[in-house]
Amino acid sequence: MTQSSHSSSSFSPHHRWKVLTAGVAANAAFSVAFSGIPMTAVLMRTGYQLDNATLGLVLGLMGLGIAVSELPWGLLTDRWGDRPVLLMGLGSTAIALVAMALWAAPAAGHIPGLGWLGAGLLLVGLLGGSVNGASGRAVMTWFDASERGLAMSIRQTAVPLGGGIGALVLPFVALHFGFAALYGLLALLCALSAAMSWAWVHEPPIAPRGNKTAEAITPKSGPLRDVRVWRIVAGIGILCAPQFAVLSFGTVFLHDFGHAGFATITATMVFTQVGAMVMRVWSGRWTDRRRNRPAYLRACSALSVLLFAGLAVLVMASGTHAADSPALRIALVVLLGVSGVCVSAWHGVAYTELATLAGAARAGTALGMANTSVFLVCFVTPFSIPHLLALQGWPMVWLAASACALVAMPLLVPRPAVADQKVAKAALSRST
């Protein structure tokens, strides 16, 4: 974007980067919760005395809350703007986490009822879902087409950034200080990011010139009635299933099957999140320059198919003796980490493609649709994994992840609308 795009007496030409920073902070603060809490799955299973099936249900409830609330939050963002939604969502999420610290944390001699834990996580998801669409719409309105891929990818790095912080910090906090301290820490992060949003997030004084292009391709009926938008929304959600499999049960897999130690498990999950963060920034910049988002999305899907199929084969080959071979244990750790990076690297590119198709003015709705799909999958995935484990063990889990990536591949590439095809054919006939 040229500096003249936002010349105003109220905002400097570089204010868009402050808006992006606030959006990243908001997403990262909430990501520490929804990506970091599953990193404590082994400790949560012990502290709350849960079996695998109940653990999967509890971990999925936060995703269910986000899924239910994403579209309403997205519609409100398009109507009210980013700032009010971020302030309302982050503030109420901080209050909900404080309530969990007081009433839903296990302590010596006291284990709270499953209803308290489940209701708390569901409420956190319902309220925290506000950050996703709001910060994404801010990117679309403050950045023009030449920078949106990079900006949206930087914004999407907040998810693995928060997940990496969660993987590094939350298990340590839960182990040494308890879950009350964990929930209190998460509340503090949400409150701090709300303060940053209050200071920096505002509507742009002048719409960036790139928005005209985006609005030109926006159907008059809006994203909710655009089949192309729904295809990408479905593809984004389905490709998140293997990602959530790694995030929700990767620690359990390494602990129960790989017999890895606490340090190895933590290092693997941190590597997965940091690797995803780096790849998202790189892919956003790379696809901005080459204008090849569909090809990149196809490549990520195809590679994810191969990696998770390879992980399933490695598990089948090892049988029940992974603990007896250090080389095999290292191979499992490396392949799980690489698979997690690959299946998390595409988010910024896919969200940019979706928001561009919907148009900047309706990006909140489109991103709300995508996040509804994503977090429905976030609920279903940890709920389903224990049943797949009971059916055929870990090979079935990773083969199912591979199959999801295969199904998502054709959905992520938008097909031209019929009207667009007619216009293209007419233009071609005139030129000839």
Side-chain angles (χ1 to χ4, degrees):
M1 185 186 340
T2 60
Q3 292 185 356
S4 60
S5 296
H6 289 300
S7 57
S8 170
S9 58
S10 300
F11 302 104
S12 74
H14 302 292
H15 185 79
R16 66 191 188 278
W17 297 106
K18 291 183 179 180
V19 174
L20 178 58
T21 301
V24 169
N27 275 267
F30 185 56
S31 178
V32 175
F34 80 75
S35 294
I37 288 177
M39 300 299 110
T40 69
V42 175
L43 298 173
M44 184 175 284
R45 184 172 61 180
T46 302
Y48 286 93
Q49 295 186 2
L50 307 174
D51 57 27
N52 277 343
T54 308
L55 176 66
L57 173 62
V58 167
L59 292 178
L61 282 175
M62 194 176 345
L64 178 63
I66 301 171
V68 169
S69 67
E70 276 291 348
L71 185 54
W73 280 123
L75 292 168
L76 286 176
T77 301
D78 285 343
R79 180 179 291 272
W80 293 349
D82 308 280
R83 191 169 188 259
V85 170
L86 284 173
L87 293 176
M88 183 188 307
L90 289 167
S92 58
T93 302
I95 294 172
L97 287 164
V98 169
M100 287 193 69
L102 295 175
W103 294 296
H110 170 70
I111 299 175
L114 183 61
W116 283 104
L117 175 62
L121 292 176
L122 180 64
L123 182 61
V124 168
L126 286 168
L127 300 172
S130 58
V131 305
N132 297 311
S135 57
R137 180 181 176 275
V139 168
M140 293 298 294
T141 55
W142 276 93
F143 288 82
D144 72 11
S146 67
E147 291 181 325
R148 279 182 187 155
L150 174 62
M152 189 70 80
S153 293
I154 291 174
R155 177 254 190 185
Q156 287 299 117
T157 62
V159 178
L161 173 62
I165 294 171
L168 190 62
V169 175
L170 295 193
F172 176 83
V173 173
L175 182 63
H176 294 282
F177 303 100
F179 279 90
L182 183 149
Y183 300 137
L185 175 62
L186 295 176
L188 178 62
L189 292 176
C190 288
L192 291 174
S193 61
M196 188 176 293
S197 297
W198 177 82
W200 286 346
V201 176
H202 302 276
E203 291 294 307
I206 302 172
R209 62 187 178 187
N211 281 7
K212 296 179 180 179
T213 302
E215 293 303 324
I217 64 171
T218 304
K220 293 182 179 179
S221 57
L224 288 169
R225 296 185 181 180
D226 192 330
V227 175
R228 295 172 298 168
V229 169
W230 278 110
R231 281 175 56 87
I232 299 180
V233 164
I236 287 173
I238 293 170
L239 192 53
C240 280
Q243 177 190 349
F244 286 129
V246 173
L247 294 179
S248 61
F249 270 80
T251 58
V252 177
F253 168 71
L254 293 176
H255 179 273
D256 291 358
F257 184 83
H259 301 282
F262 180 80
T264 300
I265 293 173
T266 300
T268 303
M269 304 315 293
V270 170
F271 166 80
T272 300
Q273 300 288 14
V274 173
M277 183 172 62
V278 171
M279 285 300 299
R280 288 183 187 190
V281 175
W282 173 84
S283 63
R285 185 61 174 165
W286 190 66
T287 55
D288 272 350
R289 289 178 172 177
R290 294 179 176 262
R291 301 174 183 263
N292 62 342
R293 291 179 197 137
Y296 178 78
L297 294 173
R298 279 195 300 267
C300 281
S301 300
L303 186 56
S304 296
V305 171
L306 296 176
L307 287 171
F308 281 101
L311 185 58
V313 170
L314 185 60
V315 171
M316 285 188 285
S318 65
T320 59
H321 304 292
D324 298 336
S325 171
L328 184 57
R329 190 182 310 153
I330 292 171
L332 287 172
V333 167
V334 171
L335 190 52
L336 180 71
V338 173
S339 300
V341 170
C342 178
V343 82
S344 302
W346 52 271
H347 277 260
V349 175
Y351 275 55
T352 306
E353 189 76 5
L354 173 64
T356 300
L357 183 63
R362 293 168 178 169
T365 300
L367 295 175
M369 293 164 64
N371 287 318
T372 296
S373 175
V374 166
F375 288 102
L376 277 174
V377 173
C378 178
F379 169 70
V380 171
T381 299
F383 180 75
S384 303
I385 286 175
H387 300 287
L388 294 175
L389 279 174
L391 187 65
Q392 289 292 338
W394 288 107
M396 177 65 75
V397 172
W398 304 127
L399 283 175
S402 177
C404 287
L406 183 63
V407 171
M409 193 186 311
L411 297 174
L412 284 170
V413 181
R415 292 178 178 177
V418 174
D420 294 340
Q421 292 175 339
K422 291 180 178 179
V423 170
K425 289 179 180 178
L428 182 62
S429 63
R430 286 195 300 269
S431 66
T432 56

